[in-house]
Short mmCIF file of all heavy atoms in Angstrom, two decimals:
data_model
loop_
_atom_site.label_atom_id
_atom_site.label_comp_id
_atom_site.label_asym_id
_atom_site.label_seq_id
_atom_site.Cartn_x
_atom_site.Cartn_y
_atom_site.Cartn_z
N LEU A 419 -48.76 72.09 -48.55
CA LEU A 419 -49.22 73.24 -47.80
C LEU A 419 -50.77 73.41 -47.95
O LEU A 419 -51.33 74.41 -47.49
CB LEU A 419 -48.59 74.49 -48.31
CG LEU A 419 -47.00 74.54 -48.16
CD1 LEU A 419 -46.47 75.77 -48.82
CD2 LEU A 419 -46.62 74.35 -46.75
N GLU A 420 -51.45 72.44 -48.49
CA GLU A 420 -52.88 72.42 -48.59
C GLU A 420 -53.42 73.67 -49.22
O GLU A 420 -53.03 73.91 -50.40
CB GLU A 420 -53.60 72.18 -47.20
CG GLU A 420 -53.20 70.83 -46.61
CD GLU A 420 -53.87 70.58 -45.22
OE1 GLU A 420 -54.81 71.29 -45.00
OE2 GLU A 420 -53.41 69.70 -44.59
N ASP A 421 -54.34 74.38 -48.69
CA ASP A 421 -55.00 75.48 -49.31
C ASP A 421 -54.00 76.58 -49.63
O ASP A 421 -54.32 77.44 -50.61
CB ASP A 421 -56.11 76.02 -48.59
CG ASP A 421 -57.31 75.10 -48.54
OD1 ASP A 421 -57.46 74.20 -49.46
OD2 ASP A 421 -58.08 75.13 -47.56
N ASN A 422 -52.86 76.71 -48.92
CA ASN A 422 -51.92 77.81 -49.08
C ASN A 422 -50.91 77.39 -50.18
O ASN A 422 -49.76 77.39 -49.91
CB ASN A 422 -51.33 78.12 -47.78
CG ASN A 422 -52.31 78.54 -46.76
OD1 ASN A 422 -53.19 79.38 -47.10
ND2 ASN A 422 -52.31 78.05 -45.61
N GLU A 423 -51.45 77.17 -51.38
CA GLU A 423 -50.51 76.88 -52.56
C GLU A 423 -49.59 78.03 -52.84
O GLU A 423 -50.03 79.15 -52.80
CB GLU A 423 -51.35 76.56 -53.73
CG GLU A 423 -50.60 76.31 -54.95
CD GLU A 423 -51.53 76.07 -56.22
OE1 GLU A 423 -52.76 76.13 -56.02
OE2 GLU A 423 -50.94 75.91 -57.32
N ILE A 424 -48.37 77.70 -53.08
CA ILE A 424 -47.37 78.66 -53.44
C ILE A 424 -47.69 79.05 -54.90
O ILE A 424 -47.59 78.10 -55.78
CB ILE A 424 -45.93 78.22 -53.23
CG1 ILE A 424 -45.74 78.04 -51.72
CG2 ILE A 424 -44.97 79.20 -53.83
CD1 ILE A 424 -44.41 77.42 -51.33
N ILE A 425 -48.02 80.31 -55.20
CA ILE A 425 -48.25 80.67 -56.62
C ILE A 425 -47.06 81.47 -57.09
O ILE A 425 -46.83 82.56 -56.57
CB ILE A 425 -49.64 81.39 -56.75
CG1 ILE A 425 -50.74 80.43 -56.18
CG2 ILE A 425 -49.86 81.87 -58.07
CD1 ILE A 425 -52.08 81.13 -56.22
N ASN A 426 -46.50 80.84 -58.06
CA ASN A 426 -45.12 81.33 -58.49
C ASN A 426 -45.03 81.26 -59.98
O ASN A 426 -44.79 80.28 -60.59
CB ASN A 426 -44.04 80.44 -57.81
CG ASN A 426 -42.69 80.75 -58.22
OD1 ASN A 426 -42.38 81.26 -59.32
ND2 ASN A 426 -41.79 80.40 -57.31
N PRO A 427 -45.27 82.43 -60.65
CA PRO A 427 -45.23 82.31 -62.13
C PRO A 427 -43.84 81.93 -62.54
O PRO A 427 -42.84 82.52 -62.14
CB PRO A 427 -45.59 83.85 -62.59
CG PRO A 427 -46.21 84.39 -61.45
CD PRO A 427 -45.69 83.72 -60.23
N ARG A 428 -43.74 80.98 -63.35
CA ARG A 428 -42.35 80.45 -63.81
C ARG A 428 -41.68 81.47 -64.57
O ARG A 428 -42.15 82.17 -65.50
CB ARG A 428 -42.58 79.23 -64.63
CG ARG A 428 -43.08 77.98 -63.80
CD ARG A 428 -43.58 76.95 -64.57
NE ARG A 428 -44.79 77.30 -65.24
CZ ARG A 428 -45.61 76.40 -65.97
NH1 ARG A 428 -45.19 75.18 -66.11
NH2 ARG A 428 -46.70 76.74 -66.44
N GLY A 429 -40.45 81.80 -64.25
CA GLY A 429 -39.59 82.75 -64.97
C GLY A 429 -39.74 84.13 -64.34
O GLY A 429 -39.25 85.15 -64.96
N TRP A 430 -40.32 84.34 -63.17
CA TRP A 430 -40.60 85.61 -62.61
C TRP A 430 -40.10 85.56 -61.25
O TRP A 430 -40.32 84.64 -60.44
CB TRP A 430 -41.98 86.02 -62.63
CG TRP A 430 -42.34 87.37 -62.03
CD1 TRP A 430 -42.03 88.59 -62.56
CD2 TRP A 430 -42.96 87.65 -60.77
NE1 TRP A 430 -42.49 89.52 -61.70
CE2 TRP A 430 -43.12 88.96 -60.56
CE3 TRP A 430 -43.34 86.74 -59.72
CZ2 TRP A 430 -43.62 89.52 -59.40
CZ3 TRP A 430 -43.97 87.24 -58.58
CH2 TRP A 430 -44.05 88.66 -58.47
N ASP A 431 -39.17 86.57 -60.83
CA ASP A 431 -38.75 86.67 -59.43
C ASP A 431 -39.34 88.00 -58.88
O ASP A 431 -39.22 89.02 -59.38
CB ASP A 431 -37.19 86.78 -59.44
CG ASP A 431 -36.56 85.45 -59.80
OD1 ASP A 431 -37.11 84.36 -59.44
OD2 ASP A 431 -35.52 85.46 -60.43
N GLY A 432 -40.08 87.80 -57.78
CA GLY A 432 -40.61 88.92 -57.09
C GLY A 432 -41.70 88.53 -56.13
O GLY A 432 -41.89 87.31 -55.90
N THR A 433 -42.32 89.47 -55.57
CA THR A 433 -43.50 89.16 -54.61
C THR A 433 -44.45 90.24 -54.78
O THR A 433 -44.13 91.44 -54.94
CB THR A 433 -43.01 89.30 -53.15
OG1 THR A 433 -41.91 88.28 -52.98
CG2 THR A 433 -44.11 88.98 -52.16
N ARG A 434 -45.73 89.91 -54.82
CA ARG A 434 -46.85 90.82 -54.85
C ARG A 434 -48.00 90.22 -53.92
O ARG A 434 -48.23 89.09 -53.88
CB ARG A 434 -47.47 90.85 -56.25
CG ARG A 434 -46.60 91.69 -57.18
CD ARG A 434 -47.45 92.04 -58.44
NE ARG A 434 -46.63 92.56 -59.38
CZ ARG A 434 -46.98 92.78 -60.73
NH1 ARG A 434 -48.09 92.38 -61.09
NH2 ARG A 434 -46.09 93.34 -61.53
N TYR A 435 -48.51 91.06 -53.07
CA TYR A 435 -49.51 90.75 -52.19
C TYR A 435 -50.84 91.56 -52.61
O TYR A 435 -50.74 92.51 -53.28
CB TYR A 435 -49.16 91.20 -50.73
CG TYR A 435 -47.95 90.48 -50.25
CD1 TYR A 435 -46.68 90.96 -50.21
CD2 TYR A 435 -48.18 89.19 -49.61
CE1 TYR A 435 -45.61 90.31 -49.65
CE2 TYR A 435 -47.08 88.50 -49.06
CZ TYR A 435 -45.88 89.08 -49.23
OH TYR A 435 -44.72 88.34 -48.68
N GLY A 436 -51.97 91.00 -52.08
CA GLY A 436 -53.17 91.59 -52.40
C GLY A 436 -54.33 90.86 -51.80
O GLY A 436 -54.14 89.85 -51.16
N ASN A 437 -55.61 91.37 -52.01
CA ASN A 437 -56.69 90.65 -51.61
C ASN A 437 -57.47 90.01 -52.86
O ASN A 437 -58.60 89.51 -52.72
CB ASN A 437 -57.64 91.54 -50.78
CG ASN A 437 -58.04 92.80 -51.45
OD1 ASN A 437 -57.92 92.95 -52.65
ND2 ASN A 437 -58.53 93.69 -50.63
N ARG A 438 -56.81 90.15 -54.04
CA ARG A 438 -57.27 89.56 -55.23
C ARG A 438 -56.05 89.00 -55.91
O ARG A 438 -55.02 89.55 -55.91
CB ARG A 438 -57.95 90.52 -56.32
CG ARG A 438 -59.06 91.38 -55.69
CD ARG A 438 -60.30 90.41 -55.44
NE ARG A 438 -61.44 91.26 -55.07
CZ ARG A 438 -61.88 91.43 -53.73
NH1 ARG A 438 -61.22 90.88 -52.81
NH2 ARG A 438 -62.98 92.11 -53.57
N LEU A 439 -56.28 87.71 -56.46
CA LEU A 439 -55.13 86.98 -57.19
C LEU A 439 -55.67 86.24 -58.23
O LEU A 439 -56.72 85.50 -58.10
CB LEU A 439 -54.43 86.10 -56.12
CG LEU A 439 -53.10 85.41 -56.65
CD1 LEU A 439 -52.05 85.31 -55.47
CD2 LEU A 439 -53.41 84.12 -57.21
N VAL A 440 -55.07 86.23 -59.38
CA VAL A 440 -55.40 85.41 -60.58
C VAL A 440 -54.25 84.81 -61.22
O VAL A 440 -53.14 85.48 -61.38
CB VAL A 440 -56.19 86.30 -61.61
CG1 VAL A 440 -56.47 85.45 -62.82
CG2 VAL A 440 -57.45 86.88 -61.09
N LEU A 441 -54.26 83.55 -61.48
CA LEU A 441 -53.20 82.82 -62.13
C LEU A 441 -53.79 82.02 -63.35
O LEU A 441 -54.76 81.36 -63.24
CB LEU A 441 -52.49 81.85 -61.30
CG LEU A 441 -51.51 80.83 -61.94
CD1 LEU A 441 -50.29 81.51 -62.52
CD2 LEU A 441 -51.17 79.67 -61.04
N ASN A 442 -53.17 82.19 -64.52
CA ASN A 442 -53.58 81.34 -65.68
C ASN A 442 -52.32 80.70 -66.22
O ASN A 442 -51.26 81.36 -66.36
CB ASN A 442 -54.20 82.14 -66.81
CG ASN A 442 -54.44 81.32 -68.08
OD1 ASN A 442 -53.70 81.48 -68.98
ND2 ASN A 442 -55.47 80.59 -67.99
N THR A 443 -52.41 79.38 -66.37
CA THR A 443 -51.29 78.68 -66.98
C THR A 443 -51.73 77.99 -68.29
O THR A 443 -52.91 77.46 -68.36
CB THR A 443 -50.83 77.57 -65.98
OG1 THR A 443 -50.27 78.10 -64.81
CG2 THR A 443 -49.83 76.61 -66.62
N LEU A 444 -50.89 78.10 -69.27
CA LEU A 444 -51.27 77.41 -70.52
C LEU A 444 -49.98 76.69 -71.00
O LEU A 444 -48.91 77.15 -71.00
CB LEU A 444 -51.56 78.46 -71.67
CG LEU A 444 -52.03 77.93 -72.98
CD1 LEU A 444 -53.32 77.09 -72.85
CD2 LEU A 444 -52.19 79.10 -73.91
N GLU A 445 -50.18 75.34 -71.26
CA GLU A 445 -49.02 74.54 -71.66
C GLU A 445 -49.45 73.54 -72.84
O GLU A 445 -50.64 73.14 -72.90
CB GLU A 445 -48.67 73.56 -70.45
CG GLU A 445 -48.27 74.30 -69.25
CD GLU A 445 -48.01 73.36 -68.12
OE1 GLU A 445 -47.94 72.10 -68.27
OE2 GLU A 445 -47.57 73.86 -66.99
N TYR A 446 -48.51 73.30 -73.69
CA TYR A 446 -48.66 72.21 -74.63
C TYR A 446 -47.71 71.23 -74.37
O TYR A 446 -46.43 71.47 -74.47
CB TYR A 446 -48.53 72.81 -76.09
CG TYR A 446 -48.77 71.70 -77.14
CD1 TYR A 446 -50.10 71.26 -77.30
CD2 TYR A 446 -47.80 71.19 -77.78
CE1 TYR A 446 -50.29 70.22 -78.19
CE2 TYR A 446 -48.04 70.10 -78.74
CZ TYR A 446 -49.23 69.68 -78.92
OH TYR A 446 -49.47 68.69 -79.83
N ARG A 447 -48.25 69.96 -73.95
CA ARG A 447 -47.29 68.88 -73.50
C ARG A 447 -47.22 67.83 -74.47
O ARG A 447 -48.21 67.36 -74.98
CB ARG A 447 -47.73 68.30 -72.15
CG ARG A 447 -47.88 69.39 -71.11
CD ARG A 447 -48.54 68.77 -69.83
NE ARG A 447 -48.74 69.77 -68.82
CZ ARG A 447 -49.57 69.44 -67.85
NH1 ARG A 447 -50.20 68.34 -67.76
NH2 ARG A 447 -49.69 70.36 -66.90
N ILE A 448 -45.97 67.16 -74.56
CA ILE A 448 -45.80 65.97 -75.38
C ILE A 448 -45.01 65.00 -74.41
O ILE A 448 -44.02 65.42 -73.86
CB ILE A 448 -45.13 66.19 -76.68
CG1 ILE A 448 -45.83 67.06 -77.58
CG2 ILE A 448 -44.75 64.88 -77.35
CD1 ILE A 448 -45.23 67.52 -78.80
#
């Protein structure tokens, strides 16, 4: 979808719209 990335916090069901959006992901991978 190019610039229109689907931003979907894992483990959350819902929808929020706005003119500001922030996403932070933190993972520890092995």
Side-chain angles (χ1 to χ4, degrees):
L419 299 176
E420 296 182 18
D421 290 336
N422 298 313
E423 176 183 358
I424 294 172
I425 299 178
N426 177 333
R428 292 166 288 188
W430 178 76
D431 291 321
T433 303
R434 284 195 190 167
Y435 295 98
N437 55 20
R438 304 292 188 262
L439 185 146
V440 175
L441 168 72
N442 174 257
T443 294
L444 184 63
E445 301 177 2
Y446 183 71
R447 304 175 182 162
I448 297 173

